[in-house]
Each structure stands twice: as structure tokens, then as C-alpha cells.
């Protein structure tokens, strides 16, 4: 049966401009980092992706190494594009990235021109596309001149392989310098993808979010639910914490510290008073700032997806609520500057 998107897909979603660019993204975007690897079958993947699009999520975020194994998420999304999404290509924003380890040897990671250009070509092949809408430098490389890394991004845009370019996991000064270098080449730094949540506020602490606002760079945070911790599923009395500790879990032990889980329990009271779920509270909190273009979520089920979409029903906070959130988190915050490996 041929897929046909719902005619009502744009009725409820909110769209926000990325910085001062012409690019608009849905307030909630869907990432394929953890849940669309080689073990995910086509029907279940397509059910989530098509439901997302039917609810106005037009932006799907990938990277060359998303899986497992690396490349699997792009291959799966490429199948979806070929079989079902192809008629809607011009309604979709598809992004990819390069910078984390992808293949052996000295050229398979970080920010060299060699790595970024080879990675982009490989990603386009896996996706079955002529171009991606956004291509990111996935992490700041302190050992490669930014001129080289930004030059590679500019080259991809001029080739038509990326319509927009961005950075991910870049601290404040590297973000400013990347913006300056690209501007000198006549290219706009359109978007920044950092980690950001109620429990991880490093972009506030080091001023990265303020710099993006000043420069007109959009911000699309990943892990707004802190690897699911802010959904409440690992709270006291639930069996999630024991599952998270098992081998292969993507949730680091620091996120399951007693003070963190106590903070989550306190946040649950704020969510209840707002008539929101924990996930909805966490997403609304991230989206409260004008610099934020979109919140990037990852889901395993349709139920999780629909729960997250419910955040859009209440994005306003009172000063009292914000103070209660700050008091609840206190010393449980895990602010950390951009890592040189994938966050846990």
C-alpha cells in the first residue's frame, strides 16, 4: 500500500526560524541516533517516521555513525525515502553530520577536509539523496585549523551537497570563530546542535546560547530529556534504573545518581501542577528560550512520540515555575562542556 501523508499534517505543528536564516524547522524534530540501527525493522521504523511527518515533524536528523552499526540509521532512512517518502522530498529537512569515529585509521573522524568530504559523499550514498538540507561538523576538533573544517563545509554547500551548514558540540569561542570564518567565505553558519536540558545547561554556563542569539545562529538541542532520565522512567520505585545499568545501555551512571533521581522526583511535582507529563515539561522548558529553533527528540515508540508532541500545548512558564525547576535541580545538574566522544 502506497503511503500518503495526512492532509492535516501542518495544522498543529509550530515552526520556528533558524536564527536569522530563511530556514524554518518544526518546534520538535526527530533524531535517529539510537533507535534506528540495524535491529530496527522497516515496518516499525516507518510507523514512527510516518506518524512524525503526519504530525508536522518535517525534520529528521542523522549522522554518518548513527546505528549501530555505524551507517545503519542512514541506510534505513534511505530505504524509507526510496519506498515511501520520495514524493515528499521537498517538504523534508534531512540532516547529517561527520566528526565522530566512522572508519579505521587517521581519516575516519574529527574535522579534516578529508574526513568531512568523504563522509558527506558516503552519507548521501546511504541516504540515496543528491543533497542533505543541513550538514554539520559533529564536534569541535582542537587539532585541525577551523579554517580547514569550515572550508570543507563551505565546499559542500557550494557543490550543492548541503543547502545549509552547522556545527554540533562546539563551545562558545569556537562557535564565534566558525561563524566568522564562514562569513568571510560568504557562507552562513545556520545552526548549532548542542546538548541541553534542565539537567545539562552548559550552553547557558559558557554563553554559547547567548552567542548564537547574538550571531543569528539557530539552536537545536539534542538530549532534551537527558537520555530519558527526564521522562521519569528511571525514577525511584520503577525498574528503569536497573535496566539502565545493564550492559549496552546508553544511559551513563552519572545520570542515575541518587541526587539526580531525587531532582527528577521533585520536577514531577511541577509537571503535575502544569498538567504535563515529565517529558512534556522537559521539552517545554528547552523551547522556552527564543534562541531555540527546535528540540531534537529520540523515541522508540509511537506512544513516546505522541507524548512529546503534547509539549506544544503549553510552552509558557511563570517565574514561580521556573524558580521551582531551578530549586528542584540544584546541585543535581550535570553541566558539561562538549565532549570529544559521544555523550553518555
Amino acid at each position: 500500500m502506497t503511503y500518503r501523508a495526512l492532509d492535516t499534517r501542518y495544522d498543529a505543528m509550530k515552526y520556528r526560524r533558524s536564527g536569522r536564516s530563511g530556514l524554518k524547522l518544526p518546534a520538535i524534530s526527530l533524531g535517529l541516533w539510537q533507535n534506528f540501527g540495524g535491529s530496527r525493522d522497516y515496518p516499525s521504523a516507518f510507523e514512527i517516521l510516518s506518524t512524525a511527518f503526519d504530525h508536522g515533524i518535517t525534520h529528521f536528523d542523522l549522522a554518518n555513525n548513527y546505528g549501530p552499526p555505524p551507517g545503519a540509521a542512514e541506510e534505513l532512512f534511505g530505504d524509507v525515502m526510496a519506498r515511501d517518502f520520495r514524493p515528499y522530498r521537498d517538504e523534508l529537512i534531512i540532516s547529517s553530520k561527520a566528526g565522530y569515529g566512522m572508519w579505521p585509521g587517521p581519516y575516519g573522524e574529527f574535522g579534516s577536509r578529508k574526513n568531512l568530504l568523504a563522509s558527506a559523499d558516503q552519507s548521501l550514498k546511504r541516504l540515496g539523496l543528491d543533497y542533505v538540507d543541513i550538514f554539520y561538523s559533529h564536534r569541535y576538533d582542537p587539532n585541525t585549523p577551523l579554517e580547514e573544517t569550515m572550508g570543507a563545509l563551505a565546499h559542500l554547500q557550494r557543490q550543492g551537497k548541503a543547502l545549509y551548514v552547522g556545527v554540533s558540540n562546539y563551545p562558545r569561542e569556537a562557535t564565534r570563530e566558525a561563524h566568522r570564518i564562514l562569513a568571510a567565505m560568504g557562507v552562513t553558519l545556520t545552526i548549532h546542535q548542542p546538548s541541553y536540558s534542565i539537567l545539562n545547561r552548559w550552553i547557558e554556563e559558557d554563553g554559547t546560547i547567548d552567542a548564537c542569539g547574538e550571531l543569528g545562529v539557530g539552536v537545536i538541542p539534542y538530549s532534551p530529556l537527558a537520555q530519558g532520565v527526564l521522562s521519569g522512567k528511571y525514577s525511584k520505585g520503577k525498574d528503569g534504573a536497573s535496566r539502565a545499568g545493564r550492559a549496552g545501555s546508553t544511559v551513563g551512571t552519572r545520570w542515575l545518581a541518587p541526587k539526580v533521581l531525587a531532582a527528577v522526583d521533585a520536577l514531577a511535582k511541577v509537571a503535575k501542577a502544569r498538567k504535563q507529563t515529565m517529558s512534556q515539561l522537559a521539552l517545554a522548558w528547552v523551547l522556552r528560550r527564543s534562541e531555540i529553533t527546535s528540540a531534537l527528540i529520540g523515541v522508540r515508540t509511537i506512544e513516546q512520540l505522541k507524548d512529546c508532541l503534547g509539549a506544544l500545548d503549553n510552552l509558557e512558564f511563570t517565574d514561580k515555575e521556573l524558580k521551582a525547576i531551578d530549586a528542584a535541580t540544584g546541585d543535581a545538574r550535570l553541566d558539561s562542556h562538549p565532549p570529544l566522544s559521544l555523550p553518555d
Side-chain angles (χ1 to χ4, degrees), residues 49-278:
L49 295 171
S50 60
T51 300
F53 186 48
D54 283 341
H55 285 80
I57 294 180
T58 54
H59 176 32
F60 298 94
D61 180 79
L62 300 110
N64 60 346
N65 65 332
Y66 286 0
E74 288 184 330
E75 290 174 351
L76 179 57
F77 193 81
D79 287 343
V80 173
M81 280 300 307
R83 295 167 59 174
D84 290 289
F85 274 7
R86 184 67 63 183
Y88 304 100
R89 176 63 183 99
D90 292 336
E91 296 183 44
L92 301 176
I93 301 296
I94 302 166
S95 61
S96 192
K97 319 175 195 73
Y100 285 98
M102 182 61 187
W103 63 85
Y107 319 119
E109 63 178 334
F110 282 112
S112 71
R113 181 179 176 89
K114 170 74 171 176
N115 177 44
L116 264 62
L117 297 186
S119 293
D121 284 341
Q122 291 177 16
S123 290
L124 290 175
K125 184 176 181 180
R126 284 189 291 267
L127 291 165
L129 300 175
D130 296 323
Y131 69 92
V132 289
D133 297 274
I134 306 169
F135 193 83
Y136 294 88
S137 168
H138 204 169
R139 62 168 162 174
Y140 173 61
D141 180 354
N143 297 314
T144 297
L146 260 181
E147 287 81 1
E148 179 176 340
T149 303
M150 295 304 108
L153 293 181
H155 183 73
L156 289 170
Q157 188 182 76
R158 289 168 182 154
Q159 283 186 311
K161 294 179 179 179
L163 301 188
Y164 301 91
V165 298
V167 297
S168 178
N169 297 308
Y170 273 49
R172 180 190 61 203
E173 292 310 313
T175 300
R176 287 188 177 278
E177 186 66 0
H179 179 274
R180 183 194 67 78
I181 293 168
L182 285 170
M185 293 185 284
V187 175
T188 299
L189 178 61
T190 300
I191 195 163
H192 188 315
Q193 187 178 131
S195 60
Y196 182 49
S197 72
I198 290 175
L199 293 172
N200 178 9
R201 307 187 189 188
W202 75 264
I203 60 172
E204 293 181 2
E205 297 299 323
D206 91 333
T208 294
I209 192 169
D210 294 323
C212 287
E214 173 193 334
L215 297 170
V217 177
V219 180
I220 178 170
Y222 69 87
S223 293
L225 302 184
Q227 297 299 289
V229 173
L230 285 170
S231 71
K233 67 181 178 180
Y234 302 122
S235 295
K236 199 184 313 179
K238 297 184 179 180
D239 64 355
S242 63
R243 291 199 310 270
R246 295 173 188 168
S249 171
T250 58
V251 181
T253 54
R254 65 190 181 120
W255 292 106
L256 301 174
K259 65 180 179 179
V260 175
L261 297 182
V264 172
D265 288 341
L267 289 170
K269 297 176 183 177
V270 181
K272 183 177 180 180
R274 285 172 54 84
K275 297 185 167 121
Q276 288 184 312
T277 66
M278 281 291 298

